[in-house]
């Protein structure tokens, strides 16, 4: 899950950067929306990875 969060963050950041340099307004909005989706997905993956890590640590102690 942790690696998926990093990949999602990188894809979201790249798409957000690309959306800043597009000429068409609709392409900018579409790329920006997809970028935000990947950034939120990265947050969800990171939350699930840290949640699993803490629950595993709690179980073993």
């Amino acid at each position: 899950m942790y690696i998926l969060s990093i990949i999602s963050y990188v894809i979201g950041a790249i798409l957000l950067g690309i959306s800043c340099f597009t000429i068409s307004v609709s392409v900018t909005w579409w790329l920006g929306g997809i970028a935000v989706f990947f950034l939120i997905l990265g947050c969800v993956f990171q939350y699930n990875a840290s949640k699993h890590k803490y629950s595993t640590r709690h179980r073993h102690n």
Side-chain angles (χ1 to χ4, degrees), residues 4-58:
L4 286 175
S5 68
I6 293 173
I7 291 170
S8 297
Y9 283 140
V10 169
I11 291 172
I14 289 171
L15 288 174
L16 195 60
I18 290 171
S19 72
C20 292
F21 296 106
T22 58
I23 296 172
S24 174
V25 174
S26 62
V27 173
T28 301
W29 277 96
W30 276 103
L31 285 176
I34 295 170
V36 168
F37 172 75
F38 273 104
L39 292 173
I40 292 172
L41 196 63
C43 292
V44 170
F45 286 146
Q46 184 178 4
Y47 173 75
N48 286 334
S50 65
K51 182 179 171 184
H52 178 69
K53 183 174 74 172
Y54 289 128
S55 66
T56 304
R57 186 180 299 164
H58 180 67

